Amino acid sequence: MKNLSALLILVMGFVHAQKLTANERSIINQGDVNTALPIYQTTDSHQHKTLLSLSTEADPLDPNTAVLVKRMKESLLSTDGGVGIAAPQVGINRRIIWVQRFDKEGAPLEYFINPVIVWKSDLQNLGPEGDLSIPDFRDQFYRSKVIQLEYVDLKGQKYSEIVEGFTAVIFQHEIDHLFGILISDKKEKEKNDSYKRVDAYQKSDLNRR
């Protein structure tokens, strides 16, 4: 009975931790809820602090979460060619992202709640990245070529899938946002890292085929 009580306390604490604060609800529901939310910028000190903060899990069944998801999409659509956005970029430190799925026909935009990368390939690609929240910044970054992703939708349904290529890069970039990691800081931290170039198709392998 004691263990059951402790478990219930832990569960209740987890549920409570997911509840949106009054300030978060105010931001989500400001103005016309059918319009885009402003995208936070590193050039503003208050907004920069939000972008550097760790995001917590969102409650997919909270009606405010659905409003946030919808407005985040509008925010992404309002940009000039943006391919992804994370909730911290509209001022909400919750684990929600939108990603353009270039790995699917028509390259649709899709949302992901509480996304977690449970596996990354050692094989990496080097490619250019920019950020909607960092004006005039673009650089080259290494990202895993393939990832395994787990997430839920607005009904609380759980999913797991393998993603690769450029879409996997977008996922990694947006999920970094949920940990308060910006590509400008990432570049600074990784400037002394060294990478060994790997030929994925060695001649010896080809000879065995």
Side-chain angles (χ1 to χ4, degrees), residues 127-188:
E129 293 182 37
D131 196 292
L132 299 175
S133 295
I134 311 175
D136 305 318
F137 181 87
R138 194 167 182 82
D139 212 322
Q140 298 278 325
F141 294 88
Y142 283 95
R143 298 285 189 181
S144 292
K145 186 174 182 179
V146 186
I147 62 171
Q148 182 177 356
L149 182 76
E150 293 182 353
Y151 59 93
V152 300
D153 63 15
L154 284 168
K155 296 180 180 179
Q157 179 68 43
K158 296 181 179 180
Y159 300 89
S160 178
E161 62 177 299
I162 301 293
V163 184
E164 59 183 295
F166 181 52
T167 303
V169 171
I170 303 172
F171 272 110
Q172 291 169 81
H173 177 109
E174 300 307 333
I175 290 175
D176 270 357
H177 270 296
L178 305 181
F179 290 95
I181 300 172
L182 301 175
I183 55 173
S184 51
D185 300 325
K186 184 180 178 69
K187 177 56 66 174
E188 181 65 22

Side-chain angles (χ1 to χ4, degrees), residues 42 49 52 60 80 82 101 156 162 169 183-184 193 202 205 208:
T42 56
K49 183 177 180 180
L52 293 175
D80 182 19
R101 298 297 301 263
I162 301 293
V169 171
I183 55 173
S184 51
D193 290 352
Q202 303 286 351
D205 292 330
R208 286 197 294 267

